């Protein structure tokens, strides 16, 4: 037998095995279902198909990851500067420059860590052990040894080891949420499906990695390894590139632009020195290198890393764990959040929320398995005791039930079917203890749930010897066996089903104490009522969705669940218009232009496959959106990896989704995303402030060197002093900006345009303004000290301290991009500013007056009067920037009033 891929797919795209009857599948695979494969056949098939597992992905070693960090235009310039200074014998300069490069590269390597472990996690999803029938004997073996044609046995608690075509199924149900997003276990039987049936409706199949929640079954392995549904997602995940975040794209562009400008300035400086000033080429070359080093913001990568790390810490306090630093800021750029429903917007715990009896309607509060919550009848809290109609319904729900509700420390857990567990929770909310009820109503017999019959029946008797059959199942199936159905029950069913509730009907019949048979319940049942279940929204999600929408971030729900359920949850959360739902199979019928338009207009998508989720994602990205994708299942992993910001659930989510993500929500709550967006926007603001603070300083230092060449004189500062400013003074001062709190309107303004540059317009104007003032101030102090008879070292010390003082006072200007700072909030709103300024001023005193610092940096002591002039000059620069901000605000206000 050759399991040829070309022969295993039906014309509609569904694997052929799913469409065949069970005996046809075993026939095609050449296996006797009563005996299994023989040893020689197993060996032959293993040689043909290989191991039942997913391949180990290639990995970059630490050295290659380190080299990747050096792939940056600014780093290239720094490395060139280091090589040139080494050639000229300036070892101290070489050591400092290389130290900066190595430190930044090591920081990058440390952050990369777990970047590509999603495929490894997928391999771990496969069951490690399986029960297999071979040569007539049942054996337990490693799942990796399975081959197509093996007969496997499944029972409650097993993880399915491969894609299996079911041959027998007894009360079998599987949790397929990691593949389909289906919020409830799927009942299985042996029927074949139509060629175009989606994965969630292929009831005759058990897929690798899914979990058996109840019952038993057996089946024949039809696909292993990469040919399974799980393997298909693995291949899809592998093909999805990890997108760069907006910040990385902007910084890459900024690096290229700065590198180009720096090289042009260095060449220009060299030409001026050699061709115009007729200086020796070696001296001129050293000046040009010094100017290039001055212009390069060596400290910028370190400061940006610190700013992002601070954002990581803040997000961690909000239960958002960041796995890649740039993702912190990327959340602030998000324009669309595409979110899975099950386990993300909802609790992924089925909850009974509605009960309807022939006499009354009840609303049940509370979510999950915690049995606390009110039961309301016409707005008033009630209990089952004294309510004969609901008491019978609750009794049927507890007795026609095989689940067990238990408490483990602070958490409540269910052993068995989640829907039956929800019935036990409902009973406790009504005031009934399921254990005591079962003890007083011993079971006589049971007919387990069957997917074909769609009901379960159980016979019990009470202390008085009265025996009853209690039945639960699909409402239409139960009603067909009821003697006197309530007149309006069909309309009630439609009303509740339209709200996305999963409905279960209950009935009973008084009988003798004989054996329970199917014929006993064919007729004569008494209708008790029905219960509506739903996977309810998480607490705080509605408010979080509203907050995102207020911030201009559109929320789209993309789920594998039913359209009616998706629409009901979306309506509760305020996503979309509450009516429009686009179903996955309809996406395939739309032409590209129509599909693009529908995707942008629609906010709720149901019954989507992993490929369709990726398609939706790429359409939005092609339209210029910055997309965050959230989810918890294996089926979400490709889209999570393909989004600019992939977000996975940390508690109940799959390891595959977590490894594909850049952010993990420790509390599995969508509301945490809204907090993370706020932090992301604050981080972006702080990054802009940091860049706007560092660049004028570097530009000013470079212009000082260029001015020295143009004037034909001695440079006011040396390259070593420039590196001191950049790596010690500027970096430490800029850290204060990384600790700025979010501004008040951060979640009231729309997202920034994805292609908007980091710096533009009036903000960009500050760079020439501040750097120009810095050049005039530093050069002025340098010439003044020389004119007063000071030494060259003293004059350079005055220029150095002037630049440092300007940076200290300009730090206040940088706290706000478009707001004046000469007020209480501007001067004292961030105490960290003072915490960094005061120690740095003391450090500059050490640089000025300590002999060992004089020797290292080429400085000299200054007279007290010089400090007065330096402070006055620095304060003048601060006032000039403040005046510029106020004038621009005034002009904007005038323009706005004229526009009105």
């Amino acid at each position: 037998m050759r399991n040829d891929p070309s022969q295993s797919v039906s014309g509609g795209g569904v694997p052929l095995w799913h469409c065949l009857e069970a005996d046809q599948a075993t026939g095609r695979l050449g296996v006797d279902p009563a005996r299994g494969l023989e040893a020689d056949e197993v060996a032959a098939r293993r040689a043909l198909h290989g191991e039942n597992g997913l391949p180990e992905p290639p990995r970059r070693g630490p050295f290659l990851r380190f080299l990747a960090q050096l792939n940056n235009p600014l780093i290239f310039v720094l490395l060139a500067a280091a090589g040139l200074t080494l050639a000229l014998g300036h070892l101290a300069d070489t050591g400092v420059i290389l130290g900066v490069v190595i430190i930044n590269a090591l920081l990058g390597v440390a952050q990369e860590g777990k970047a590509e472990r999603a495929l490894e996690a997928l391999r771990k999803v496969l069951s490690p052990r399986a029960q297999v029938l071979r040569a007539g004997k049942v054996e337990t073996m490693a799942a990796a040894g399975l081959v197509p044609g093996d007969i496997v046995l499944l029972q409650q608690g097993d993880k399915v080891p491969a894609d299996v075509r079911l041959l027998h199924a007894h009360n079998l149900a599987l949790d397929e949420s990691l593949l389909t997003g289906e919020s409830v276990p799927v009942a299985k039987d042996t029927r074949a499906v139509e060629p175009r049936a989606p994965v969630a409706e292929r009831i005759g199949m058990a897929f690798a990695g899914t979990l058996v929640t109840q019952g038993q079954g057996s089946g024949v392995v039809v696909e292993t390894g990469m040919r399974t549904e799980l393997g298909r997602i693995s291949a899809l995940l592998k093909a999805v590139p990890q997108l760069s975040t907006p910040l990385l794209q902007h910084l890459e562009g900024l690096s290229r632009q700065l590198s180009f400008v720096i090289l042009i300035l260095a060449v220009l400086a060299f030409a001026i020195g050699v061709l115009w000033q007729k200086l020796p080429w070696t001296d001129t070359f050293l000046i040009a290198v010094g100017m290039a080093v001055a212009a390069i913001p060596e400290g910028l990568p370190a400061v940006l890393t610190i700013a992002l790390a601070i954002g990581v810490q803040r997000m961690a306090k909000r239960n958002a764990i960041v796995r890649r630093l740039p993702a912190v800021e990327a959340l602030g750029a998000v324009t669309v959040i595409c979110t899975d429903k099950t386990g993300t917007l909802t609790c992924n715990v089925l909850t009974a929320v509605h009960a309807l009896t022939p006499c009354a309607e009840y609303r049940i509060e509370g979510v999950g398995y915690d049995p606390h919550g009110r039961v309301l009848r016409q707005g008033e809290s009630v209990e089952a005791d004294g309510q004969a109609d609901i008491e019978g319904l609750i009794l049927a729900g507890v007795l026609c039930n095989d689940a067990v509700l238990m408490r483990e420390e602070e958490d409540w857990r269910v052993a068995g079917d989640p829907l039956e567990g929800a019935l036990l929770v409902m009973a406790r909310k009504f005031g009934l203890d399921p254990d005591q009820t079962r003890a007083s109503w011993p079971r006589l017999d049971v007919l387990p749930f069957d997917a074909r019959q769609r009901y379960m029946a159980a016979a019990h008797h009470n202390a008085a010897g009265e025996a009853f059959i209690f039945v639960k199942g699909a409402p239409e199936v139960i009603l067909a066996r009821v003697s006197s159905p309530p007149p309006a029950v069909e309309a009630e069913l439609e009303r509740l089903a339209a709200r996305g509730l999963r409905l279960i009907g209950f009935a009973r019949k008084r009988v003798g104490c004989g054996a329970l048979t199917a014929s006993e319940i064919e007729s004569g049942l008494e209708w008790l009522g029905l219960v509506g279940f739903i996977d309810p929204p998480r607490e705080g999600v509605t408010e979080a969705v509203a907050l995102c929408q207020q911030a201009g971030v559109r929320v789209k729900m993309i789920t594998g669940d039913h359209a009616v359920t998706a629409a009901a949850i979306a309506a509760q959360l305020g996503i979309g218009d509450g009516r429009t739902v686009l179903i996955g199979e309809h996406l395939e019928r739309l032409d590209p232009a129509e599909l693009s338009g529908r995707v942008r207009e629609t906010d709720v998508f149901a019954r989507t496959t992993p490929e369709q989720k990726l398609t939706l994602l790429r359409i939005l990205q092609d339209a210029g959106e910055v997309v965050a994708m959230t989810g918890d299942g294996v089926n979400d992993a490709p889209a999570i990896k393909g989004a600019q910001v992939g977000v996975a659930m940390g508690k109940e989510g799959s390891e595959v989704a977590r490894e594909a993500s850049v952010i993990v929500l420790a509390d599995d709550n969508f509301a945490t995303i809204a907090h993370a967006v706020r932090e992301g926007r604050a981080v972006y603001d702080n990054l802009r402030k940091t860049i706007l603070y560092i660049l004028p300083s570097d530009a000013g230092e470079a212009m000082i060197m260029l001015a020295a060449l143009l004037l034909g004189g001695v440079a006011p500062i040396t390259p070593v002093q420039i590196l001191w400013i950049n790596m010690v003074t500027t970096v430490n001062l800029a850290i204060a900006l990384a600790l700025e709190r979010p501004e008040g309107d951060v979640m009231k303004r729309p997202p920034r345009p994805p292609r908007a540059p980091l710096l533009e317009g009036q903000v960009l104007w500050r760079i020439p303004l501040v750097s120009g003032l810095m050049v005039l101030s530093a050069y002025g102090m340098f010439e003044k000290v020389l004119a007063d008879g000071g030494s060259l070292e003293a004059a350079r010390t005055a220029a150095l301290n002037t630049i440092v003082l300007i940076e200290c006072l300009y730090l206040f200007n940088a706290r706000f991009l478009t707001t004046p700072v000469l007020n209480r909030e501007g001067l004292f709103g961030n105490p960290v500013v003072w915490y960094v300024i005061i120690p740095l001023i003391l450090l500059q005193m050490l640089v000025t007056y300590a002999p060992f610092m004089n020797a290292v940096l080429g400085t000299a002591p200054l007279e007290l009067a010089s400090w007065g002039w330096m402070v006055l000059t620095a304060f003048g620069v601060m006032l000039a920037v403040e005046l510029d901000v106020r004038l621009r605000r005034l002009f904007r206000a005038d323009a706005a009033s004229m526009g009105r």
Side-chain angles (χ1 to χ4, degrees):
M1 187 283 307
R2 290 185 60 86
N3 188 6
D4 188 343
S6 66
Q7 298 176 355
S8 62
V9 177
S10 71
V14 174
L16 184 62
W17 311 112
H18 307 200
C19 309
L20 293 175
E21 295 296 339
D23 57 347
Q24 293 176 311
T26 55
R28 278 180 174 262
L29 288 163
V31 59
D32 178 0
R35 183 171 176 80
L37 297 174
E38 302 296 330
D40 56 346
E41 184 64 20
V42 170
R45 297 189 185 198
R46 184 172 298 140
L48 177 64
H49 296 283
E51 187 175 274
N52 176 33
L54 304 183
E56 180 74 27
R59 302 218 172 272
R60 287 192 307 182
F63 181 67
L64 290 178
R65 292 205 302 270
F66 178 82
L67 290 181
Q69 306 303 319
L70 305 180
N71 186 21
N72 182 294
L74 286 180
I75 299 297
F76 296 157
V77 175
L78 278 176
L79 290 174
L84 293 171
T85 53
L86 177 63
L88 294 172
H90 295 266
L91 300 181
D93 292 348
T94 304
V96 172
I97 295 172
L98 288 178
V100 170
V101 171
I102 292 172
I103 289 170
N104 285 330
L106 290 176
L107 283 172
V109 170
Q111 293 303 327
E112 187 171 317
K114 299 180 178 179
E116 288 297 331
R117 290 177 54 191
L119 297 179
E120 181 183 351
L122 270 167
R123 294 175 73 247
K124 294 177 181 176
V125 171
L126 290 175
S127 173
R129 309 292 292 175
Q131 281 192 306
V132 187
L133 176 65
R134 282 183 177 171
K137 296 180 180 179
V138 176
E139 57 182 283
T140 301
M141 57 172 287
L146 292 178
V147 297
D150 265 327
I151 304 298
V152 298
L153 310 180
L154 302 173
Q155 58 186 354
Q156 183 173 328
D158 286 350
K159 189 178 286 185
V160 180
D163 280 5
V164 174
R165 178 64 174 91
L166 293 172
L167 305 177
H168 303 284
H170 179 68
N171 196 26
L172 184 65
L174 271 66
D175 179 358
E176 296 182 337
S177 58
L178 86 166
L179 286 179
T180 66
E182 181 76 60
S183 56
V184 296
V186 179
K188 295 290 183 175
D189 60 34
T190 60
R191 286 175 292 172
V193 299
E194 293 297 321
R196 291 193 176 274
V199 172
E201 296 175 8
R202 299 176 196 174
I203 58 175
M205 289 292 301
F207 294 105
T210 60
L211 184 68
V212 180
T213 59
Q214 70 176 37
Q216 301 85 35
S218 65
V220 59
V221 173
V222 294
E223 302 288 7
T224 58
M226 290 297 291
R227 300 271 304 278
T228 63
E229 189 68 21
L230 194 65
R232 187 181 62 79
I233 296 176
S234 167
L236 184 64
L237 182 63
K238 185 177 181 180
V240 176
Q242 188 86 52
L243 285 188
S244 179
T245 67
L247 174 66
L248 292 180
Q249 294 169 1
H250 289 320
L251 288 179
E252 213 173 294
L254 181 64
S255 296
R256 286 194 298 268
Q257 294 165 5
L258 286 176
S259 300
F260 179 76
V261 171
I262 289 166
L263 289 174
I264 293 296
L265 287 176
V267 171
L268 178 63
F270 185 77
I272 290 172
V274 172
L275 301 178
W276 185 13
Q277 299 295 349
K278 309 299 182 182
L279 297 174
W281 75 268
T282 53
D283 293 346
T284 307
F285 190 76
L286 191 59
I287 293 174
V289 170
M291 193 186 72
V293 172
I296 295 174
E298 301 97 337
L300 184 58
V303 174
L304 294 183
T305 300
I306 292 169
L308 293 171
I310 291 169
V312 167
Q313 293 174 353
R314 287 177 172 172
M315 286 190 183
K317 293 178 181 177
R318 295 278 196 172
N319 291 313
I321 310 303
V322 178
R323 300 179 65 243
R324 291 180 62 225
L325 274 186
V328 178
E329 175 277 334
L331 263 177
V334 163
T335 59
V336 175
I337 298 175
C338 294
T339 175
D340 181 38
K341 175 186 72 69
T342 305
T344 306
L345 297 174
T346 64
C347 301
N348 197 19
V349 177
L350 207 61
T351 304
V353 295
H354 209 89
L356 182 68
T357 72
C359 302
E361 190 168 346
Y362 300 84
R363 187 164 59 86
I364 307 158
E365 295 182 341
V367 298
Y369 294 139
D370 185 348
H372 297 93
R374 296 185 304 164
V375 178
L376 303 177
R377 176 177 177 175
Q378 297 180 342
E380 296 184 2
S381 182
V382 298
E383 291 188 355
D385 189 23
Q387 310 284 334
D389 60 328
I390 195 65
E391 190 172 12
L393 177 62
I394 298 296
L395 185 62
V398 170
L399 298 179
C400 192
N401 189 322
D402 291 325
V404 177
L405 178 65
M406 56 197 135
R407 186 167 189 170
E408 296 178 357
E409 296 181 355
E410 297 300 317
D411 294 330
W412 289 83
R413 301 284 181 186
V414 166
D417 183 83
L419 184 144
E420 293 187 341
L423 288 171
L424 301 182
V425 173
M426 182 183 74
R428 285 188 174 273
K429 290 177 181 178
F430 272 100
L432 269 68
D433 185 326
D435 296 332
Q436 293 180 4
T437 303
R438 287 170 170 173
S440 59
W441 283 82
R443 178 173 287 185
L444 298 172
D445 202 357
V446 63
L447 290 177
F449 177 82
D450 181 86
R452 294 177 183 270
Q453 301 295 333
R454 300 173 66 198
Y455 67 77
M456 172 185 177
H460 292 256
H461 70 87
N462 56 21
E466 299 172 311
F468 287 85
I469 297 173
F470 297 95
V471 187
K472 79 170 189 294
E476 62 274 19
V477 173
I478 306 300
L479 284 168
R481 292 164 167 78
V482 170
S483 299
S484 302
V489 69
E490 296 290 344
E492 295 293 344
L493 284 172
E494 291 182 12
R495 175 176 67 87
L496 295 176
R499 291 171 47 185
L501 299 180
R502 181 178 180 181
L503 302 175
I504 300 295
F506 295 84
R508 68 183 174 191
K509 182 179 183 181
R510 187 166 183 171
V511 292
C513 292
L516 177 57
T517 62
S519 59
E520 288 272 11
I521 55 176
E522 284 301 312
S523 61
L525 299 183
E526 176 192 356
W527 176 254
L528 297 175
L530 55 86
V531 176
F533 304 81
I534 201 166
D535 179 13
R538 289 180 176 274
E539 186 177 350
V541 169
T542 303
E543 295 78 7
V545 169
L547 183 61
C548 289
Q549 293 168 340
Q550 174 188 293
V553 179
R554 194 165 179 178
V555 179
K556 292 178 180 285
M557 177 197 293
I558 305 177
T559 179
D561 213 337
H562 293 283
V564 174
T565 305
I569 295 295
Q572 291 183 52
L573 298 176
I575 298 175
D577 59 11
R579 300 182 304 277
T580 306
V581 180
L582 193 56
I583 300 172
E585 63 180 284
H586 295 165
L587 296 174
E588 308 290 341
R589 304 172 189 168
L590 301 176
D591 62 68
E594 186 180 4
L595 177 62
S596 178
R598 292 287 300 276
V599 168
R600 282 179 284 173
E601 294 168 2
T602 306
D603 288 334
V604 183
F605 302 85
R607 276 293 192 245
T608 53
T609 65
E611 292 89 345
Q612 290 165 347
K613 289 187 178 185
L614 259 182
T615 299
L616 299 176
L617 186 73
R618 286 168 177 162
I619 288 173
L620 293 171
Q621 290 170 337
D622 290 343
E625 306 286 359
V626 178
V627 185
M629 177 70 201
T630 75
D632 62 345
V634 172
N635 60 321
D636 301 315
I640 288 174
K641 184 182 177 186
Q644 283 99 336
V645 185
V647 184
M649 305 299 108
K651 287 175 65 178
E652 302 296 337
S654 68
E655 182 67 15
V656 183
R658 287 195 291 270
E659 292 298 336
S661 69
V662 293
I663 294 177
V664 176
L665 304 185
D667 58 357
D668 287 12
N669 198 333
F670 180 87
T672 302
I673 298 177
H675 299 309
V677 169
R678 180 174 181 269
E679 289 296 339
R681 291 189 174 189
V683 167
Y684 179 76
D685 285 349
N686 292 346
L687 291 176
R688 291 183 73 206
K689 295 170 186 176
T690 300
I691 294 170
L692 190 62
Y693 176 74
I694 290 177
L695 290 187
S697 302
D698 293 331
E701 295 157 14
M703 296 308 293
I704 288 172
M705 303 294 286
L706 185 60
L709 273 177
L710 289 170
L711 296 175
V714 180
I717 50 177
T718 66
V720 172
Q721 290 171 348
I722 288 171
L723 286 171
W724 170 266
I725 295 171
N726 287 356
M727 290 305 298
V728 178
T729 306
T730 308
V731 169
N732 283 289
L733 289 171
I735 289 173
L737 298 175
L739 290 165
E740 287 287 340
R741 295 175 306 211
E743 297 183 16
D745 65 342
V746 71
M747 289 299 280
K748 295 179 181 177
R749 60 195 190 214
R752 69 181 186 273
R755 293 182 176 85
L758 277 168
L759 305 174
E760 79 290 330
Q762 61 181 9
V763 172
L764 197 60
W765 158 247
R766 278 202 196 177
I767 296 176
L769 172 65
V770 176
S771 60
L773 291 173
M774 184 181 291
V775 171
L776 293 175
S777 302
Y779 231 107
M781 285 303 306
F782 176 77
E783 293 294 342
K784 184 179 186 312
V785 172
L786 287 178
D788 291 344
S791 65
L792 176 62
E793 289 77 12
R796 282 176 167 167
T797 304
L800 171 66
N801 284 326
T802 299
I803 293 173
V804 171
L805 288 172
I806 289 173
E807 290 189 354
C808 287
L809 293 182
Y810 176 57
L811 184 61
F812 291 99
N813 298 111
R815 288 195 59 218
F816 304 116
L817 297 173
T818 58
T819 306
V821 296
L822 290 181
N823 50 59
R824 182 177 180 84
E825 173 61 25
L827 295 177
F828 303 103
N830 182 1
V832 179
V833 171
W834 290 101
Y835 297 158
V836 295
I837 285 178
I838 293 173
L840 277 175
I841 291 176
L842 296 175
L843 184 60
Q844 284 306 119
M845 297 295 244
L846 193 66
V847 167
T848 304
Y849 297 106
F852 73 94
M853 292 300 289
N854 295 158
V856 172
L857 294 177
T859 55
L862 295 175
E863 296 180 358
L864 185 61
S866 297
W867 285 99
W869 283 106
M870 289 187 292
V871 171
L872 199 59
T873 302
F875 192 65
V877 174
M878 180 185 183
L879 289 178
V881 177
E882 178 78 355
L883 179 62
D884 175 69
V885 170
R886 291 181 181 271
L887 287 175
R888 288 179 178 278
R889 285 173 62 87
L890 182 62
F891 291 150
R892 282 201 305 274
D894 289 344
S897 62
M898 290 176 64
R900 289 194 296 268

